[in-house]
């Protein structure tokens, strides 16, 4: 395998597949909430239920996904989930054309797509170390996040204009097509997954326990899980009411909503470009902590938006920019630490355990945000989300991650924190 990722055709195929999928997903990110809010006249509580239905799929299937991803070849999992998501997303425009679209249908579609996505995400994160060398993981994650960020930057603005011109239901056709293109490129990856992932005689429950022990026995992975879970809850509080806040309180249209989310994409893109340099300058741990802190500040600014439309739009753009900038620096370093510190045979269960821990709080956050928006008002719900999001980084600040400078085997109190097997996790 070439250490120069530009010469690695299999990594480039995964890279292109991710770009296609992320680009289409930006349409859905805006289209389904706008469809619920503007076409189906959803209430704040119903918007919370819509967000919760997506998070529920991750809660129910994440631990199971980790076991299957460690038992099966990861490439077929990626292809199968892409094809299935394309089929499910296509139901929305068809139902709309037949005048059958209802909020309950959107709940089900969000749940099914999220359930499939958890298998894709766990497999995707676990597959990358098979395609690139360990020393290339930070660079590979940076490139993948840069592409994802570019999609966030261009996608929402284009989606907003597309939705304004053609309507949200027809815009979802683009997402279905993007999943098909992603599946095509993943199917062309040829690298072999050489290591044996079988665990003879072990039950699914036993394999799930292995994943949990790997994460919670290691201080750094435990802190990452706590930070991401806290952020996920309060971010869900914010997302439950953000579109309603922009469209009803601030009277912003679909195109303006797209511009706001595009500004987040600019931050995501710059964060992806800066993550590698910040990690080398300050260390991978401090870069991770700083990214989480900056993201929290962005959430606080979003709750302050108001006044004339142009001013409110500018404040929201700044807030989303900082959310994207800090969030990407955090995610790239967080994911690299995970991939480099755990034996590849257990990546599926490790990633799934963290996904489960963070996703469990997602539905509660959406429900809390919807309820707060209904009872106290949309801005009050945003304030609660902002206050909670600003303290998430304290998990990292109080952990050994604060002193982590590189991916080389490093120690805390004389103990090496590189996990080889469930039996060799830090205890």
């Amino acid at each position: 395998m070439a250490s120069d990722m530009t010469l690695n055709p299999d990594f480039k195929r995964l890279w292109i597949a991710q770009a296609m999928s992320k680009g289409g997903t930006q349409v859905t990110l805006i289209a389904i909430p706008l469809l619920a809010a503007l076409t189906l006249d959803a209430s704040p509580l119903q918007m919370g239920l819509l967000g919760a239905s997506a998070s529920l799929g991750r809660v129910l299937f994440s631990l199971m996904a980790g076991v299957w991803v460690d038992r099966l070849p990861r490439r077929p999992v990626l292809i199968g989930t892409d094809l299935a998501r394309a089929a499910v997303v296509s139901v929305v425009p068809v139902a709309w054309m037949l005048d059958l679209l209802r909020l309950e249908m959107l709940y089900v579609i969000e749940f099914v797509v999220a359930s499939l996505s958890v298998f894709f995400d766990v497999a995707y994160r676990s597959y990358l170390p098979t395609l690139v060398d360990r020393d290339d993981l930070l660079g590979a994650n940076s490139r993948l996040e840069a592409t994802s960020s570019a999609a966030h930057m261009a996608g929402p603005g284009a989606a907003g204009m597309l939705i304004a011109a053609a309507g949200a239901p027809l815009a979802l056709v683009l997402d279905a097509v993007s999943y098909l293109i992603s599946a095509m490129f993943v199917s062309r990856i040829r690298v072999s997954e050489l290591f044996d992932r079988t665990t003879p005689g072990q039950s699914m429950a036993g394999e799930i326990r292995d994943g949990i022990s790997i994460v919670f026995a290691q201080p750094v992975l435990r802190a990452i899980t706590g930070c991401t879970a806290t952020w996920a809850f309060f971010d869900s509080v914010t997302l439950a009411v953000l579109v309603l806040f922009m469209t009803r309180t601030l009277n912003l249209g679909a195109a303006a909503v797209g511009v706001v989310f595009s500004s987040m994409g600019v931050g995501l893109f710059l964060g992806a470009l800066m993550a590698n340099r910040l990690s080398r300058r300050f260390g991978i741990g401090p870069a991770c902590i700083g990214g989480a802190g900056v993201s929290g500040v962005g959430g606080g600014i979003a709750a302050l938006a108001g006044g004339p439309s142009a001013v409110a739009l500018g404040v929201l753009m700044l807030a989303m920019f900082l959310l994207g900038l800090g969030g990407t620096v955090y995610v790239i370093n967080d994911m690299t630490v995970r991939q480099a510190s755990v034996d590849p045979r257990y990546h599926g269960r490790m990633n799934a355990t963290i996904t489960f821990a963070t996703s469990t709080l997602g539905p509660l956050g959406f429900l809390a945000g919807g309820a707060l928006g209904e009872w106290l008002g949309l801005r009050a719900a945003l304030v609660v989300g902002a206050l909670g999001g600003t303290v998430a980084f304290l998990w990292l600040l109080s952990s050994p991650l604060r002193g982590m400078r590189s991916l080389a085997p490093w120690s805390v109190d004389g103990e090496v924190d590189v996990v080889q097997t469930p039996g060799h996790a830090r205890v």
Side-chain angles (χ1 to χ4, degrees), residues 61-80:
F61 295 108
S62 55
L63 292 177
M64 184 186 301
V67 173
W68 284 107
V69 165
D70 281 345
R71 287 181 177 182
L72 300 172
R74 287 153 185 170
R75 188 172 68 102
V77 174
L78 296 173
I79 296 170

Side-chain angles (χ1 to χ4, degrees), residues 21-112:
S21 180
K22 291 292 184 181
T25 298
Q26 293 312 303
V27 177
T28 300
L29 180 67
I30 299 175
I32 287 186
L34 282 176
L35 190 60
L38 301 180
T39 303
L40 300 179
D41 197 28
S43 69
L45 186 57
Q46 288 172 325
M47 292 295 285
L49 288 171
L50 182 64
S53 64
S55 298
L56 185 60
R58 290 185 173 271
V59 173
L60 293 179
F61 295 108
S62 55
L63 292 177
M64 184 186 301
V67 173
W68 284 107
V69 165
D70 281 345
R71 287 181 177 182
L72 300 172
R74 287 153 185 170
R75 188 172 68 102
V77 174
L78 296 173
I79 296 170
T81 51
D82 267 337
L83 295 177
R85 288 185 294 178
V88 173
V89 168
S90 299
V91 170
V92 176
V94 172
W96 175 75
M97 287 187 290
L98 297 175
D99 197 26
L100 297 175
L101 192 62
R102 300 292 183 271
L103 270 172
E104 294 78 10
M105 183 179 294
L106 291 184
Y107 296 157
V108 173
I109 288 171
E110 285 277 67
F111 173 78
V112 174

Side-chain angles (χ1 to χ4, degrees), residues 222-237 330 357-359 361-362 365 384-385 387-396:
R222 191 166 60 239
I224 284 173
T225 303
C227 174
T228 310
T230 302
W231 181 86
F233 176 83
F234 289 104
D235 185 56
S236 296
V237 170
Y330 170 70
T358 57
S359 298
L361 296 178
V384 171
L387 291 175
T390 56
V391 301
F393 82 105
L394 295 178
W395 284 92
L396 308 177

Side-chain angles (χ1 to χ4, degrees), residues 149-235:
S149 302
H152 277 85
M153 184 167 53
M161 291 185 286
L162 178 64
I163 291 167
L170 293 180
L172 289 169
V173 173
L174 285 181
D175 194 19
V177 172
S178 75
Y179 286 134
L180 295 176
I181 296 174
S182 175
M184 180 186 71
F185 275 95
V186 174
S187 70
R188 297 180 61 196
I189 294 175
R190 295 292 179 260
V191 69
S192 298
E193 299 179 64
L194 299 177
F195 51 86
D196 181 12
R197 292 194 298 272
T198 59
T199 309
Q202 191 169 16
S203 66
M204 178 173 288
E207 294 187 56
I208 288 174
R209 283 195 298 271
D210 285 346
I212 294 172
S213 71
I214 286 172
V215 171
F216 289 97
Q218 191 185 27
V220 170
L221 294 182
R222 191 166 60 239
I224 284 173
T225 303
C227 174
T228 310
T230 302
W231 181 86
F233 176 83
F234 289 104
D235 185 56

